Amino acid sequence: MTSSAVALPTASANRRARSLGKIRNAVIFYVSVAILSVFFMGPFVWTVISSLKDASEIATFPPTFLPKQLHWENYPNAWSRVPFLSFYINSILVTGLATLGQTVTATLVAYGFARFRFPWKNALFMLVMSTLMVPWEVTIVPSFLLFRTLGWLDTLTPLIVPHWLGGGPFFIFLLRQFFMTIPRDYDEAAKIDGANSLQVLWEILVPLCRPAITTVAIFAALFHWNAFIEPLIFLNSPEKFTISLGLRYFQTAPLDAGEPKEHLLMAGTIIMIVPCVILFFAAQRYFVKGIVLSGLKG
């Protein structure tokens, strides 16, 4: 009787302690997430706010956080100072075709490494992975000489065609790992029904790997949309510039009588990143699922 009366308050105290511990951990977690969100979103929020200030207010010291008056006209003014429409069309063309080629070829190569048996398969796969350690500075000069020989300089071709030749080692690795998690029984059942290898890939594996393939497509699209060094080296004519190079062109191009343009530059930056934000939120479900299922972190 006495031992039960002592045990009941002790169990209740333990439950309260565990409940308080969970609440404390949740508070620490959400406060940490809120602080990190402010830290990482700070530059983006500052860019949006600065794009709505006038030229004098953006140079004020100490700086003001909110603009005294919203200057929405900065966006049409920035759009009309340089041919942003041409930059947009070039970037959409390059990003669409390069992303399509990179996704298709990376899927085919990963399928080969994951599902077929052939001599030196592991050695070839390690050779492909070893190219991840090659700095891009090593390949940029030979690439420039090759494209000059082919007559591709100052065209969009060198920004598109190379990405149809393999898809890149990182994407190959990501898709291969995903293909290997799918049982081979699906392949064997499809082949018994008369399907060939491409039909197995297209009708069986691709639907099952849709999150991973979507993740690869998003990564590739963001890379090509924001690419700067390759367009800077291979393009000379402003009418061929992509949006990232066009933004640099806008920054360096002289305006009327040395007019300040930092506020217009901020507006141009927002114009550039709007498609990336739309793409992320439109494919967020597949993007998060693909990262979780493939074990990609960081």
Side-chain angles (χ1 to χ4, degrees):
M1 179 71 179
T2 305
S3 59
S4 301
V6 172
L8 286 176
T10 302
S12 177
N14 290 337
R15 284 196 296 271
R16 284 198 301 270
R18 286 195 295 270
S19 178
L20 290 174
K22 290 180 180 178
I23 294 174
R24 184 184 64 247
N25 292 337
V27 170
I28 293 174
F29 172 76
Y30 285 113
V31 169
S32 302
V33 169
I35 293 174
L36 289 176
S37 299
V38 172
F39 179 76
F40 286 111
M41 288 294 294
F44 177 74
V45 173
W46 184 258
T47 303
V48 174
I49 292 174
S50 298
S51 69
L52 297 173
K53 296 180 178 178
D54 63 13
S56 59
E57 190 177 3
I58 200 171
T60 302
F61 186 83
T64 57
F65 183 69
L66 295 176
K68 298 176 182 176
Q69 184 179 357
L70 298 179
H71 293 272
W72 296 102
E73 69 275 9
N74 289 343
Y75 286 89
N77 289 341
W79 183 271
S80 60
R81 294 301 177 92
V82 292
F84 262 110
L85 180 59
S86 174
F87 301 157
Y88 248 84
I89 293 173
N90 293 334
S91 281
I92 290 173
L93 185 64
V94 169
T95 301
L97 294 178
T99 299
L100 178 63
Q102 204 159 13
T103 305
V104 170
T105 55
T107 302
L108 290 172
V109 176
Y111 175 55
F113 278 122
R115 286 309 212 234
F116 291 89
R117 296 184 178 89
F118 52 88
W120 306 100
K121 185 177 79 170
N122 292 332
L124 288 173
F125 182 69
M126 293 304 298
L127 180 63
V128 171
M129 290 299 100
S130 66
T131 59
L132 281 171
M133 296 183 289
V134 179
W136 67 269
E137 293 91 346
V138 175
T139 61
I140 197 69
V141 173
S143 298
F144 179 85
L145 297 176
L146 174 63
F147 297 146
R148 187 180 65 178
T149 303
L150 296 174
W152 288 1
L153 294 182
D154 202 23
T155 69
L156 300 181
T157 307
L159 305 179
I160 299 172
V161 172
H163 300 289
W164 282 82
L165 306 176
F170 175 71
F171 295 152
I172 293 172
F173 172 78
L174 182 67
L175 293 175
R176 173 184 176 270
Q177 297 305 106
F178 208 93
F179 284 143
M180 292 180 70
T181 62
I182 301 174
R184 289 179 177 270
D185 296 345
Y186 292 103
D187 304 34
E188 295 170 359
K191 288 182 179 177
I192 291 174
D193 290 339
N196 58 37
S197 297
L198 286 178
Q199 288 174 321
V200 171
L201 172 64
W202 180 250
E203 298 179 7
I204 304 297
L205 297 181
V206 167
L208 294 175
C209 297
R210 190 175 299 164
I213 294 174
T214 304
T215 302
V216 168
I218 293 173
F219 275 132
L222 293 178
F223 172 80
H224 294 298
W225 185 266
N226 295 315
F228 177 74
I229 297 298
E230 290 183 343
L232 178 65
I233 293 174
F234 300 140
L235 301 177
N236 296 319
S237 305
E239 63 271 17
K240 304 286 180 57
F241 286 174
T242 57
I243 189 69
S244 59
L245 191 56
L247 196 62
R248 175 61 179 169
Y249 174 71
F250 175 85
Q251 187 178 12
T252 56
L255 296 183
D256 298 337
E259 177 188 354
K261 54 187 173 183
E262 285 76 13
H263 56 308
L264 302 180
L265 182 62
M266 295 297 106
T269 303
I270 297 301
I271 292 173
M272 174 186 171
I273 65 177
V274 163
C276 298
V277 176
I278 294 175
L279 174 64
F280 176 78
F281 283 106
Q284 184 181 15
R285 181 165 61 93
Y286 290 112
F287 181 70
V288 175
K289 188 176 180 181
I291 289 179
V292 171
L293 294 180
S294 61
L296 181 64
K297 299 178 180 178

